[in-house]
Amino acid sequence: MGMGGALMYILAIDTSTDAVVAGVAALRGADATGEVLAERQVTDGRRHAEILTSLVGETLDEARVARSQLDAVVVGCGPGPFTGLRVGMATGAAFGDALGVPVHGVCSLDAIAAAQMSQTSASSLLVVTDARRREIYWATYDQGRRTAGPAVAPPGEVVADLADMPIDVVVGSPTHAGLFDRPVGAASVPSVVGLVTVARADLSGSMPPAALVPLYLRRPDAVEPKRRRPADPQRQELAR
């Protein structure tokens, strides 16, 4: 990619899937082009918190970029399972707060779509990722613009609903992408290229980023127990 204009160093993070993704990119704000300096993707859906900090350190070292040199953070906001997703978002927010740099949240499905669009001529895309509970997260795109979603539903329901929709390529979870009887693309998880591409306009602009909002799309598995109502003294007296 070409370089020219003011140089920015961007930390990109995503934990919306079973893959923990971290990397560093150099972005030229004047012409909105960038270069990935280092990237790590480790698939381990149960150890997001343990892995992420190490991956961030490794990629900063490989890119030869000090934490104090970072100009912004881009973090995937899902959709994704509650526990894994909040690890990446909390880490991104912590880096931004500690370094005093903006943190830009992006839809993780948009990042997968952007990465695929950077390496293919396909005009229409379907992105699907594993939502667990026998469901998938999905979104459709045309000419790089999201046209439906993000949403969550059983795979069979999505297959039926999109049966007549023109879709050139399906990307994301390979297990679920193969259900749609369409060509399957290479992009499977959010990448540094995808994350930074989606945030490119915000990174190059002067407006402060919007607040980070996680895209859970459904209630978390763990919920607080309902509080027991206090006993009614009058009923207790009548029961005696």
Side-chain angles (χ1 to χ4, degrees):
M1 299 180 184
M3 300 295 282
L7 178 65
M8 299 175 64
Y9 289 117
I10 312 299
L11 173 65
I13 293 170
D14 189 278
T15 56
S16 65
T17 70
D18 282 346
V20 181
V21 178
V24 181
L27 184 74
R28 294 287 184 181
D31 55 12
T33 61
E35 177 185 0
V36 176
L37 304 180
E39 182 171 9
R40 295 286 189 280
Q41 294 183 5
V42 176
T43 301
D44 191 334
R46 298 183 180 276
R47 298 175 59 233
H48 287 88
E50 298 174 46
I51 295 172
L52 180 56
T53 303
S54 297
L55 296 188
V56 169
E58 289 176 16
T59 54
L60 286 168
D61 289 343
E62 182 179 324
R64 297 183 178 180
V65 173
R67 286 171 169 77
S68 59
Q69 292 179 281
L70 291 172
D71 296 288
V73 178
V74 176
V75 59
C77 294
F82 178 81
T83 303
L85 182 58
R86 67 179 180 178
V87 169
M89 296 186 67
T91 301
F95 267 89
D97 184 60
L99 300 173
V101 299
V103 182
H104 301 273
V106 301
C107 173
S108 301
L109 300 185
D110 291 357
I112 298 175
Q116 182 65 32
M117 291 298 293
S118 71
Q119 54 184 292
T120 185
S121 58
S123 61
S124 56
L125 291 177
L126 168 64
V127 180
V128 294
T129 59
D130 188 1
R132 303 174 187 172
R133 304 189 200 171
R134 299 181 180 179
E135 293 181 320
I136 56 173
Y137 299 115
W138 66 274
T140 57
Y141 300 81
D142 185 62
Q143 303 293 336
R145 181 177 61 88
R146 190 184 336 134
T147 54
V152 60
E157 181 178 310
V158 183
V159 170
D161 289 346
L162 303 183
D164 297 326
M165 177 176 288
I167 296 171
D168 295 330
V169 180
V170 185
V171 292
S173 165
T175 301
H176 300 96
L179 300 174
F180 290 84
D181 195 27
R182 310 294 211 288
V184 176
S188 58
V189 299
S191 64
V192 172
V193 165
L195 292 164
V196 173
T197 298
V198 175
R200 189 167 52 193
D202 292 333
L203 289 165
S204 301
S206 58
M207 295 294 292
L212 295 179
V213 178
L215 296 171
Y216 295 132
L217 301 189
R218 64 187 182 198
R219 298 175 64 86
D221 291 329
V223 296
E224 291 186 9
K226 293 182 178 179
R227 293 184 178 181
R228 299 182 65 179
R229 299 177 65 179
D232 185 338
Q234 186 174 3
R235 286 188 178 183
Q236 288 183 332
E237 185 65 30
L238 291 173
R240 291 179 181 176

